[in-house]
Each structure stands twice: as structure tokens, then as C-alpha cells.
Amino acid sequence: MNDLRTFLHGLPAFERFNERQLDNLLAQLRLKDFEPGHRIVVQDSQGPALYIIVSGTVEVTRHETIGGEEQEAYDARDGEVIGLLSLVSNMPSPETCTAKTKVVAAELTPERYHALYLLAPAVGHQLQYMVAVQLARDLQQKNKALRKGLAQLKPASLLERLFG
């Protein structure tokens, strides 16, 4: 666990926390292994947990339900967080996260998050902030997709037809 403590303390999201706060976080985390091809989080389903990738690569994909577009996939690697919205009750994941390689991740279930929040409120607040940022990002993407979908539905104005 000392290696995990050092790893977490080196991440920007957790670097400001003292030893006691990190101990409380570590007490709530469980290391999990995932084989290549395993779907860790599935889009439009409630995620099982938040995962901090300790080692390995996870492919993150998102199929936009409005307009049916696939967004460009990206890889999440060591130190990145996936499944963040699983900490919010009844919040389906906006993306699918699939292990590309063997992945080791520190898992924080919603139940353990609530316990952590009571033991180390500052860490809980940091995670809440991360959720808020993720929700804002997702809202911006939905808004962009809606605008694009509406633009495709409405007929072009005379000016748009003349000047493209």
C-alpha cells in the first residue's frame, strides 16, 4: 500500500492531502485487475465504481445518442480516473471504458465513497469537484450535439443558402 500511497500522492487531484487523509482514502480503495477486452464501465449503465488507473491502458469510447455519432476514442492511462459518475446515484455512464491491456485499478465504490466522505471530507469534496467538472463537460458535449442536430433539421435561411 505504500507504493499506492506514493502513486496517489503524486497525482494532481490528491497531492495536497496529508498522510491521514491519504490513509483514509487508501482504506476505502481496493485494487482490481482487468484483462484486455474487459468492459469496466458501460455507456448508459450505472457504473459499478470509480477507478483510478494504476497501470495499463483503457480505451474510452462514447456513442452520441443524439445524431448517432461516435466520438473519437481516447486512451486513459496511469493516474487517470474512469467511472467518475458512478459516485452519483442513478447516473448512467456517458462512456464505455474497455481494458486495452492488462489493467490494475484502484476501485472506489459509491458505498466506500460515502464512508470516505465522513472520514476525510476534504478528499470527498475533491471527488465532488471532479464529478462537477465531468458533468459540466458532458453537458457541453450534449449541448453541442443538440445544436448540431437542430441545425440539420431546420431549413437553411436565405442568407445561408446564398452565402453557405
Side-chain angles (χ1 to χ4, degrees), residues 16-105:
R16 68 182 174 91
F17 297 116
N18 63 39
E19 294 298 311
R20 187 182 57 70
Q21 291 166 321
L22 282 176
D23 284 342
N24 285 321
L25 175 59
L26 286 167
Q28 300 305 321
L29 295 174
R30 299 295 177 263
L31 287 178
K32 289 198 72 170
D33 295 328
F34 299 100
E35 294 300 319
H38 181 84
R39 294 172 100 191
I40 302 167
V41 177
V42 178
Q43 183 174 343
D44 296 330
S45 298
Q46 175 75 39
L50 167 152
Y51 298 94
I52 303 167
I53 302 170
V54 176
S55 65
T57 303
V58 174
E59 181 180 52
V60 180
T61 58
R62 180 185 296 231
H63 179 77
E64 187 53 62
T65 53
I66 301 166
E69 290 183 7
E70 281 291 326
Q71 292 188 347
E72 190 170 323
Y74 68 92
D75 290 341
R77 293 186 168 80
D78 303 7
E80 293 188 64
V81 175
I82 59 171
L84 187 59
L85 297 186
S86 69
L87 299 182
V88 181
S89 297
N90 301 314
M91 178 65 66
S93 176
E95 55 206 12
T96 295
C97 303
T98 307
K100 260 181 121 167
T101 64
K102 182 174 170 65
V103 172
V104 176

Side-chain angles (χ1 to χ4, degrees), residues 108-158:
L108 180 65
T109 63
E111 296 80 15
R112 290 182 174 277
Y113 163 71
H114 293 298
L116 172 64
Y117 199 89
L118 294 174
L119 297 168
V123 179
H125 289 162
Q126 175 64 25
L127 292 169
Q128 277 184 336
Y129 172 76
M130 292 167 66
V131 166
V133 168
Q134 178 70 47
L135 287 170
R137 220 180 281 134
D138 290 345
L139 185 59
Q140 287 174 336
Q141 287 178 336
K142 287 286 186 196
N143 187 25
K144 184 178 176 183
L146 280 170
R147 286 176 181 267
K148 187 176 180 181
L150 286 174
Q152 291 172 350
L153 292 177
K154 79 172 192 179
S157 70
L158 178 60

